[in-house]
Amino acid sequence: MMVSRERKSWDSKEDDCLVELLNKDVSYDTIADILGRTTMAIGKRIGALKEDSKYSPQLPEHCFRRGRKPNGTGSGVVEDKELAEEKPDEPPPPRPDSPARAIPEEVQALEDRVRELEAEKGVLVQQLTWAQHARSEERTGGIITLRRSDDHHGDKNHMLSCAKSLEGKFCVLVEQYKPDRIRIIAGDDWIVGSGIYKEQDSDSVNSDVSDQMAVGAMKARDFVASIRSVSDAPIEWLHLRGNHEFARGISISRELFLYMRSASEDLGVQWVFSGDSITCNLADKGIYNVLVKHGYGYSKHSPNSPGFIESIKDELIVKQSRMMPEETYRRIISGHTHWMSVGIERQLGVHWDTTGGLQKNTRVRIGDNQRPPGWIAYVSPKDMESNILSPIGLTPDQDVLLREIEDQNLDASNLRDFADCQVRYGELMEGNGTFGPPSSFGKNNSGRY
């Protein structure tokens, strides 16, 4: 929408503000927004001030030289050839993001407000989209099922902010649909494990799997706590095994599950270890069966590998030969490839859903691009017979994802987060009497932290 700006005369306060912003290298577009003028009017006023000998404040040098506009945008007007000539020994101008060029407080405040409004808009758009899945009087109660996978807690490239964004969006769904029951299917590739691939230890915050399991337990506890902030409905956690719950070839999936269950003090959570495969009914009433597996293999052209697709088709032939027609599988839900995708109909009447991972891809140099992360929620409102709403894909906010992909200090953030979870796990275990206090060290141990 075009915003018309009324032509009005310039006063001395506006001139002083204009010169001050120019000296701080604020871009013409930003100056125009602050003063309520067009960029063309800004350019004309700069020219008028250069010709006005009565005006005392000094315009910055870049206003008299070509290509020296703030932020390097556009080209200036050459009025003095000597000033326009580049001197060989003249140092290059500082970069716009140099610490020497501080952003004015009023500009920073405006930019912060714009970011806040964009975030609010994103949430409102998501809520509007979700609300369109059913009429308001029919979309509450029942059961909501969340499928998440491939978190890779303990990896230096685990995307912390994206995980927080997804958890917040799932809580919004819970608030909106007010389910009577909540089901979480997770656990596969919850931690990074050890000895999965060559030089993995250098990619991990800590290669000790016992420490990884402690951190994974606290992450599950924190996630349940975030759900509890918006709902007191009973929660069922179905734990699936991935291909990273291993330590040098030995499975630690059950041990990880026991760590997670021991850290939970919420009596409203039922913990169920389900191994490598889950047949799950998503419907609140009736039957809507899905087959949930972690997955395996690799593909550049599909969210699922060719080998995994073929094995699932063979499995369906065997399993469904002993099922009643209403019991057959309606969806296949997997993870592993870190490639979020919803609703590919690979077979007539059978849709495939794949969740995205929360591990930043660092192998771009060999041709692997960042695949879309995200979780999938399945809502079956009360008395919705043998059916569900359209699956709801949850993805991180775009600006959060882009910032985290480009974050050069993500490993340091994960180091701090990992250590914090370790300390909290130890304090929790000491508090409930599972771990004894470190009294054997005597008084010299006091205050060592």
Side-chain angles (χ1 to χ4, degrees):
M1 183 176 67
M2 295 293 293
V3 179
S4 61
R5 294 188 173 109
E6 226 178 276
R7 291 189 178 183
K8 55 182 180 180
S9 59
W10 289 76
D11 56 31
S12 58
K13 289 185 179 180
E14 283 186 300
D15 289 339
D16 293 342
C17 182
L18 171 62
V19 175
E20 181 183 356
L21 293 173
L22 287 171
N23 279 303
K24 292 180 179 179
D25 291 320
V26 180
S27 67
Y28 286 2
D29 290 334
T30 305
I31 294 174
D33 290 334
I34 293 173
L35 298 180
R37 303 276 186 173
T38 63
T39 52
M40 184 178 295
I42 297 296
K44 289 182 177 179
R45 190 56 184 171
I46 292 172
L49 291 177
K50 287 189 292 189
E51 296 175 359
D52 188 359
S53 58
K54 297 180 181 179
Y55 187 72
S56 56
Q58 184 65 40
L59 285 166
E61 185 180 349
H62 62 66
C63 293
F64 298 89
R65 304 174 64 184
R66 187 174 300 279
R68 288 289 185 265
K69 280 189 178 181
N71 290 355
T73 56
S75 60
V77 179
V78 178
E79 297 208 355
D80 191 330
K81 293 184 178 179
E82 292 182 0
L83 286 174
E85 291 177 359
E86 292 287 343
K87 299 179 182 179
D89 56 346
E90 183 181 6
R95 292 172 58 86
D97 56 351
S98 170
R101 298 188 174 189
I103 301 175
E105 292 183 4
E106 59 271 19
V107 177
Q108 186 65 53
L110 284 172
E111 292 178 351
D112 291 342
R113 182 57 181 156
V114 168
R115 279 194 291 269
E116 290 175 6
L117 292 173
E118 287 177 348
E120 292 175 8
K121 176 186 174 184
V123 172
L124 291 173
V125 170
Q126 288 277 6
Q127 290 178 338
L128 179 61
T129 303
W130 298 336
Q132 290 173 346
H133 285 283
R135 293 194 297 272
S136 59
E137 66 272 15
E138 295 180 351
R139 61 185 172 89
T140 58
I143 183 171
I144 182 170
T145 302
L146 175 70
R147 172 65 174 130
R148 63 181 286 184
S149 70
D150 302 279
D151 287 80
H152 292 268
H153 296 294
D155 192 287
K156 290 180 181 178
N157 291 295
H158 169 67
M159 295 190 288
L160 291 161
S161 299
C162 288
K164 288 293 183 184
S165 176
L166 289 171
E167 288 181 3
K169 290 190 175 184
F170 179 66
C171 288
V172 171
L173 272 185
V174 172
E175 282 187 296
Q176 184 178 14
Y177 288 104
K178 298 178 177 59
D180 300 322
R181 294 178 290 150
I182 300 172
R183 181 192 292 123
I184 302 168
I185 303 176
D188 44 332
D189 287 7
W190 187 260
I191 59 174
V192 295
S194 180
I196 311 300
Y197 59 89
K198 184 180 179 182
E199 298 179 353
Q200 186 196 15
D201 290 352
S202 63
D203 293 337
S204 303
V205 173
N206 188 332
S207 59
D208 188 324
V209 292
S210 63
D211 290 336
Q212 292 179 16
M213 289 189 288
V215 170
M218 295 308 295
K219 290 296 185 180
R221 177 187 173 90
D222 293 344
F223 181 42
V224 171
S226 68
I227 297 174
R228 280 287 173 253
S229 67
V230 296
S231 173
D232 58 358
I235 298 174
E236 181 185 31
W237 185 296
L238 302 182
H239 193 88
L240 194 67
R241 189 202 319 267
N243 60 359
H244 272 257
E245 289 79 43
F246 288 86
R248 308 296 175 185
I250 300 174
S251 174
I252 57 170
S253 185
R254 283 176 294 186
E255 287 75 8
L256 171 62
F257 170 76
L258 294 175
Y259 265 75
M260 295 164 71
R261 191 179 68 175
S262 69
S264 174
E265 297 176 335
D266 191 326
L267 299 179
V269 181
Q270 179 185 8
W271 296 84
V272 180
F273 181 77
S274 302
D276 300 310
S277 180
I278 299 174
T279 295
C280 183
N281 179 16
L282 299 184
D284 176 60
K285 184 178 180 180
I287 300 175
Y288 190 104
N289 276 340
V290 296
L291 179 62
V292 188
K293 287 180 172 289
H294 178 67
Y296 62 84
Y298 176 76
S299 173
K300 284 188 175 181
H301 311 290
S302 167
N304 304 107
S305 69
F308 179 65
I309 294 172
E310 291 302 316
S311 70
I312 291 296
K313 288 181 178 179
D314 293 340
E315 185 174 342
L316 292 184
I317 292 173
V318 174
K319 287 186 172 180
Q320 295 190 152
S321 64
R322 305 185 65 179
M323 290 181 171
M324 299 296 290
E326 65 273 12
E327 297 174 340
T328 56
Y329 293 110
R330 309 277 288 275
R331 312 190 82 86
I332 309 298
I333 307 174
S334 65
H336 179 66
T337 57
H338 300 200
W339 190 338
M340 182 183 170
S341 173
V342 181
I344 298 179
E345 193 172 9
R346 298 190 184 278
Q347 300 152 268
L348 186 61
V350 182
H351 293 80
W352 291 59
D353 301 333
T354 308
T355 46
L358 287 173
Q359 179 190 33
K360 184 175 75 171
N361 195 338
T362 58
R363 303 178 67 197
V364 176
R365 62 184 180 278
I366 63 172
D368 293 342
N369 295 318
Q370 188 69 30
R371 291 175 174 179
W375 303 342
I376 306 173
Y378 304 89
V379 179
S380 180
K382 186 179 294 185
D383 298 328
M384 190 170 188
E385 181 70 33
S386 302
N387 213 336
I388 62 171
L389 303 183
S390 299
I392 302 170
L394 304 177
T395 57
D397 292 329
Q398 192 72 9
D399 60 330
V400 173
L401 174 60
L402 293 177
R403 280 201 307 270
E404 200 146 46
I405 290 174
E406 297 171 0
D407 186 2
Q408 300 298 317
N409 298 313
L410 185 58
D411 54 347
S413 299
N414 276 291
L415 283 166
R416 289 192 297 268
D417 182 72
F418 192 96
D420 175 66
C421 288
Q422 275 187 292
V423 172
R424 290 196 295 119
Y425 181 79
E427 292 173 347
L428 175 66
M429 292 296 105
E430 285 184 21
N432 62 25
T434 304
F435 290 175
S439 57
S440 60
F441 289 96
K443 292 184 178 180
N444 291 332
N445 186 49
S446 177
R448 60 176 174 158
Y449 294 121

